[in-house]
Amino acid sequence: MSEDQDRVDVGAWQVPPPPDGIVDRVMTTLGEDTRVAHLPAQPVDVGSGARRGLAVVVAAVLGAAAAAAAVVVVYESRTDEPRDRAALGPTRPAPVSPPSSKKSATPPAKARDLPTSPRKLPSQAAREQLLEDIVRARIERERVAASMAAGGGAPAPPGAITGNADMDPDQIRTSVREVLPMLTECYDQAPEPMKQAGGTIVAELTVTGEPDVGTLIQDVSLIEGDKVLLDEADFGECVKQTLLSVELPPLDAGGKVTIHYPFAFSMGDEEDTEDEEPEMEPPSKTKPKTPLPIDTIEQLIDKANAASRTREYSKALTFAKRALTLEPDNQQALTVGAVAACNLKQAAVAKAYLAKLSGGRAGMIKQICLRNSVALD
Amino acid sequence: MVTATVAGARARDLDEVTLRRAQRGDPGAFRALVEQHHRAIWELTIRMLAGTAIAHRAEDLVQETFVRVHRALASFDPAGPARLSTWILTIASRLAINELRTAPRAAAARPIEDAVALPGGESPESAASARQRAVVVARAVAALPEHARAVVVLREYHDLDYDEIARVLEIDVGTVKSRLSRARAQLRETLGGSDV
């Protein structure tokens, strides 16, 4: 090749051979990948029950007193790890893993289509599989963190909680709030006297997740609330099973937390329903008992942009998601959400938003993601 | 200092049947793909990261490359402009460049010697001399800016032609030529003063 006349001989530099077992490690990773990728993604069936007859209002109690109590109560300690390990069962070998990487800590689910809003898992088996993947990824993440600490970094203090302390209460709250529409069906199917009475129940939720793998509600207990609701065993079971069947959007940090989350149930008017039966609805029951503090979409976008400017990308994404629940195709919300997702390296979220963005904005987002090593192809 | 020696780390491409099977999700076929290409990807990654603070992440990037290959393989068109080997090198190159861009500048660089093979089958004296030579070259290549380094690595060690390099790095052929020319001039200057 004539252009190569000025070639410089650099052939003396030969590199060491690949580490032993690298192909096996790649295949182990991909074996996980393949299995997870086969989980069919199901669209979230949001609020179908609310369109029939009387509307059901399910609200997270976020009033003045409740707001403080609504979220994090207990961060679980690392002493749960052996239980998690045991849950994997003795017959499954631990995955072979590369020597030192945060990224390789949770590679199995990289091919999974992580949800941007809560979605129902297709089956109990899928839930168990996801839970297992989360536990495996966590064990691996902690192993890598421990080995990095042992390799020169500051050693972790005994019993330190890895990841949990970073889980963002606002993000968890937002995430759980998005499940609310799914609970309307439970209320819809409840006995009429209970529906008329309405009330509040407080659920203790154990949320577990790893950023690149997934997040779900591992355990649910209804711990307190209005008697009329707690006495309805079928209703309570429906609420629990619904919450347990949901996969939440990925959180920015991995870990497991237990939260107390109050839900308020009441009946409200359906504005555009023709077949409702108004005579069944006492006027006093037509409004939600606990009004939600509601930001306008403009306020939410402003908050998201403000958070993004100060590099508080978790907050920015939370506000953007809330804005998008009001107006799913809002370009400003999608833009700030995608910027935040890129900076948080949440590729799945960034891709979902990017798909809805117009050309110019999309180009900008691609550049930002590229700078943050977030692949969108 | 002007003759060419190409290491020729380009992997043979998979046969069509195995590729099709891999594209359909056959794990055995994909393993064949990994076995065939991992060495080239490893060498590319090692050379791209050599001497930087993230040199220790080479295996991670190799894994990440194949995760992405696995994810996108179904969309690879064997009749398209890129060979499979070039397509995989594209993924690995971009990953490495992105990692270098976001690597912490303040972190301590890794010794370049980590990225140099120990020569074998020679006398101790000649082996030491060969290693010395390799370290000097490695240091010179590692001193290139990341984009220039990528062009040099793809051309000199993976034998990609200018069009292929242009596609891999998403730049035009003229830019490939100019970067390569500047990089070679820098290498010549660096290596010219050394006993190589």
Side-chain angles (χ1 to χ4, degrees):
Chain A
M1 199 179 284
S2 62
E3 302 95 331
D4 280 346
Q5 284 175 349
D6 63 342
R7 206 163 198 173
V8 180
D9 183 358
V10 291
W13 181 17
Q14 296 302 308
V15 301
D20 288 342
I22 188 172
V23 173
D24 290 333
R25 287 192 288 279
V26 167
M27 292 311 295
T28 301
T29 300
L30 292 169
E32 295 278 351
D33 245 342
T34 307
R35 195 178 66 235
V36 178
H38 288 164
L39 290 179
Q42 286 199 340
V44 180
D45 178 18
V46 178
S48 60
R51 292 196 169 77
R52 295 191 305 271
L54 295 174
V56 177
V57 177
V58 184
V61 179
L62 294 172
V71 174
V72 180
V73 175
V74 181
Y75 283 119
E76 291 208 356
S77 79
R78 220 169 164 171
T79 53
D80 271 354
E81 186 182 306
R83 216 167 56 207
D84 287 344
R85 286 184 194 276
L88 296 179
T91 57
R92 298 196 58 149
V96 180
S97 48
S100 62
S101 160
K102 253 184 171 175
K103 278 200 171 175
S104 57
T106 53
K110 290 215 167 145
R112 277 189 81 230
D113 183 18
L114 296 172
T116 56
S117 59
R119 67 181 175 197
K120 287 207 169 189
L121 288 159
S123 64
Q124 176 66 15
R127 180 177 187 278
E128 287 170 2
Q129 183 62 65
L130 177 56
L131 187 57
E132 180 178 324
D133 289 337
I134 289 169
V135 173
R136 282 181 186 282
R138 181 167 310 140
I139 290 169
E140 176 64 6
R141 174 167 59 80
E142 292 178 350
R143 187 193 66 76
V144 170
S147 73
M148 286 175 75
I161 301 167
T162 307
N164 292 9
D166 295 329
M167 291 179 91
D168 181 356
D170 281 340
Q171 205 181 10
I172 296 171
R173 181 194 288 125
T174 301
S175 201
V176 173
R177 187 187 295 141
E178 289 176 358
V179 180
L180 296 178
M182 297 181 183
L183 299 178
T184 56
E185 286 195 11
C186 296
Y187 199 64
D188 214 14
Q189 293 162 8
E192 202 58 37
M194 191 208 88
K195 288 161 67 176
Q196 296 297 336
T200 301
I201 53 174
V202 179
E204 184 176 270
L205 311 175
T206 301
V207 177
T208 185
E210 287 296 313
D212 294 333
V213 180
T215 304
L216 49 71
I217 298 169
Q218 187 172 344
D219 291 304
V220 178
S221 302
L222 304 181
I223 55 172
E224 58 182 282
D226 292 322
K227 190 170 184 303
V228 66
L229 299 182
L230 292 173
D231 282 351
E232 280 300 331
D234 289 347
F235 168 73
E237 191 60 23
C238 178
V239 169
K240 282 200 274 189
Q241 292 308 319
T242 301
L243 292 169
L244 290 172
S245 70
V246 170
E247 179 182 5
L248 301 174
L251 301 175
D252 297 342
K256 183 158 73 169
V257 296
T258 300
I259 66 174
H260 288 178
Y261 204 103
F263 299 102
F265 294 83
S266 65
M267 299 175 73
D269 282 324
E270 178 72 44
E271 291 178 1
D272 58 356
T273 304
E274 295 178 2
D275 58 349
E276 65 182 11
E277 300 170 32
E279 68 277 10
M280 293 179 64
E281 182 184 15
S284 62
K285 300 290 185 183
T286 57
K287 299 293 180 189
K289 288 184 172 176
T290 309
L292 283 169
I294 296 175
D295 286 324
T296 64
I297 188 165
E298 290 80 11
Q299 288 170 321
L300 290 168
I301 291 170
D302 284 347
K303 287 179 180 178
N305 281 324
S308 185
R309 278 194 294 273
T310 55
R311 297 175 181 271
E312 295 174 280
Y313 294 117
S314 293
K315 273 189 186 171
L317 186 55
T318 300
F319 285 125
K321 281 181 176 176
R322 285 175 61 189
L324 290 168
T325 61
L326 300 176
E327 195 178 310
D329 293 321
N330 184 289
Q331 293 290 296
Q332 288 176 296
L334 287 166
T335 302
V336 66
V339 168
C342 287
N343 279 283
L344 294 168
K345 299 189 186 296
Q346 293 189 14
V349 178
K351 277 163 72 175
Y353 291 168
L354 188 66
K356 294 182 176 180
L357 277 172
S358 59
R361 288 173 186 268
M364 180 187 76
I365 298 302
K366 284 179 185 171
Q367 288 302 316
I368 292 172
C369 279
L370 195 64
R371 280 206 301 272
N372 285 283
S373 308
V374 176
L376 298 174
D377 49 9
Chain B
M1 188 66 60
V2 289
T3 54
T5 302
V6 176
R10 170 175 290 185
R12 281 184 302 114
D13 275 340
L14 276 188
D15 65 88
E16 192 177 334
V17 174
T18 308
L19 174 59
R20 291 284 183 211
R21 280 172 45 216
Q23 288 185 303
R24 285 198 299 268
D26 181 329
F30 195 83
R31 185 182 181 95
L33 180 152
V34 176
E35 285 177 342
Q36 194 135 351
H37 292 276
H38 79 280
R39 188 179 183 96
I41 301 307
W42 168 258
E43 293 189 1
L44 175 115
T45 307
I46 284 281
R47 287 192 173 102
M48 287 298 294
L49 305 188
T52 71
I54 56 170
H56 62 291
R57 299 207 52 239
E59 178 168 345
D60 299 334
L61 288 199
V62 172
Q63 289 220 25
E64 180 68 20
T65 297
F66 284 110
V67 167
R68 293 184 186 205
V69 168
H70 184 263
R71 196 184 301 163
L73 188 61
S75 67
F76 173 73
D77 179 8
R83 289 172 294 175
L84 179 63
S85 56
T86 311
W87 183 73
I88 296 174
L89 281 172
T90 301
I91 293 172
S93 301
R94 292 179 187 173
L95 260 177
I97 289 172
N98 283 339
E99 285 294 316
L100 287 170
R101 277 184 188 148
T102 56
R105 301 289 175 193
R110 299 286 170 131
I112 199 79
E113 287 79 2
D114 290 355
V116 177
L118 291 170
E122 304 170 72
S123 68
E125 293 78 18
S126 62
S129 169
R131 181 160 172 78
Q132 166 86 14
R133 197 160 55 242
V135 167
V136 169
V137 172
R139 196 165 282 138
V141 175
L144 295 169
E146 63 210 26
H147 275 107
R149 191 195 305 202
V151 173
V152 167
V153 168
L154 291 169
R155 177 74 198 117
E156 306 292 358
Y157 295 105
H158 295 270
D159 201 23
L160 264 57
D161 64 33
Y162 291 2
D163 286 337
E164 289 175 317
I165 296 171
R167 275 198 298 272
V168 167
L169 300 178
E170 291 183 304
I171 53 180
D172 58 48
V173 174
T175 306
V176 172
K177 290 178 181 174
S178 60
R179 280 186 188 167
L180 193 54
S181 176
R182 280 198 299 272
R184 283 172 171 166
Q186 184 174 331
L187 287 172
R188 197 173 295 109
E189 189 178 330
T190 309
L191 298 176
S194 67
D195 184 23
V196 178

